[in-house]
Amino acid sequence: AQSVTQLGSHVSVSEGALVLLRCNYSSSVPPYLFWYVQYPNQGLQLLLKYTSAATLVKGINGFEAEFKKSETSFHLTKPSAHMSDAAEYFCAVSKGDSSYKLIFGSGTRLLVRP
Amino acid sequence: EPEVTQTPSHQVTQMGQEVILRCVPISNHLYFYWYRQILGQKVEFLVSFYNNEISEKSEIFDDQFSVERPDGSNFTLKIRSTKLEDSAMYFCASTTGQGAREEETQYFGPGTRLLVL
């Protein structure tokens, strides 16, 4: 069964510093992985997704993630944090059965210090 | 850019009352979902809907819950007799149904925050 684990419920970085949000997955089949961002009082917005075409995936707002099968990881990174990046980030895996529902991790809240 | 909309943004109700949460998916989308997020917890799948019927539901989605697409544009979630533990943010999502389903992006609405007193 597919599952996702996000390490760190809160991550705090200084503006301009590297952002690293961790996601590990468990899947018995090749996974399809997603990162979503939730800004305060807003819905979930897709940042990027891995669909087996390339292991390094670039998304919106300068974020990227690398799929590492050997480590069962799909960590999200951004070279330089901006204050506007402060939000909650969710990693998710698509369960490829009849519904293709998303299974979410518990989320990581990113705080950006001036 | 097309987006999923949800109404109301907030709903307060008394325990035992019925509530209907409304969603308007993106117009050419064919698959619809409801998820919920209890405060401080994960986003959880509730139900998926295609071709006017439920394709999958979670164990959370018991007989108190129902979904409907009443008029070709709205997609509703009804809770017949609300409980305190139904308090959560409810998200609607939709996908086109084109191509490989497991790769598809689910587009989420802004959510309805339900508070049951």
Side-chain angles (χ1 to χ4, degrees):
Chain A
Q2 282 90 342
S3 67
V4 167
T5 302
Q6 290 184 245
L7 296 176
S9 59
H10 292 78
V11 169
S12 180
V13 301
S14 298
E15 191 173 20
L18 172 71
V19 175
L20 171 60
L21 305 183
R22 298 178 187 275
C23 173
N24 288 89
Y25 69 91
S26 171
S27 176
S28 57
V29 297
Y32 295 91
L33 296 157
F34 303 77
W35 275 99
Y36 279 85
V37 61
Q38 184 181 27
Y39 297 104
N41 301 313
Q42 294 188 28
L44 299 167
Q45 180 183 3
L46 181 73
L47 272 179
L48 49 80
K49 64 181 179 181
Y50 168 73
T51 58
S52 76
T55 56
L56 182 62
V57 183
K58 295 187 185 299
I60 62 171
N61 301 338
F63 284 93
E64 62 182 38
E66 187 172 7
F67 173 73
K68 292 187 177 179
K69 185 177 179 180
S70 60
E71 298 177 8
T72 61
S73 69
F74 189 56
H75 301 331
L76 182 71
T77 60
K78 182 174 180 178
S80 176
H82 192 272
M83 296 297 290
S84 60
D85 295 327
E88 184 129 24
Y89 292 80
F90 294 94
C91 184
V93 62
S94 173
K95 192 173 190 302
D97 56 15
S98 60
S99 72
Y100 302 98
K101 65 190 178 195
L102 292 175
I103 298 170
F104 285 87
S106 52
T108 298
R109 184 168 296 280
L110 177 65
L111 308 171
V112 182
R113 303 186 302 272
Chain B
E1 183 175 326
E3 58 183 20
V4 177
T5 60
Q6 291 185 243
T7 54
S9 58
H10 293 78
Q11 173 106 38
V12 180
T13 190
Q14 296 290 323
M15 189 170 57
Q17 295 296 304
E18 174 183 287
V19 295
I20 297 176
L21 310 183
R22 291 182 168 80
C23 168
V24 179
I26 296 173
S27 64
N28 64 338
H29 285 193
L30 301 177
Y31 291 83
F32 314 115
Y33 304 81
W34 283 102
Y35 293 82
R36 79 172 185 189
Q37 183 184 26
I38 295 173
L39 189 64
Q41 298 187 24
K42 292 183 181 186
V43 177
E44 303 172 288
F45 167 78
L46 290 178
V47 66
S48 59
F49 190 86
Y50 169 69
N51 200 25
N52 281 321
E53 59 183 30
I54 291 173
S55 52
E56 186 178 347
K57 58 184 180 181
S58 71
E59 61 272 14
I60 302 167
F61 194 88
D62 61 22
D63 292 344
Q64 293 300 312
F65 291 88
S66 63
V67 288
E68 191 178 29
R69 188 156 163 80
D71 56 14
S73 62
N74 288 282
F75 178 51
T76 62
L77 174 68
K78 181 192 291 186
I79 310 175
R80 288 192 184 82
S81 178
T82 50
K83 306 182 187 70
L84 297 177
E85 55 265 37
D86 294 328
S87 295
M89 178 75 92
Y90 288 81
F91 293 106
C92 174
S94 68
T95 64
T96 63
Q98 306 297 323
R101 290 285 320 286
E102 60 271 17
E103 298 182 8
E104 277 204 279
T105 297
Q106 291 190 19
Y107 293 87
F108 283 78
T112 294
R113 185 170 297 283
L114 175 66
L115 178 61
V116 182
L117 302 176

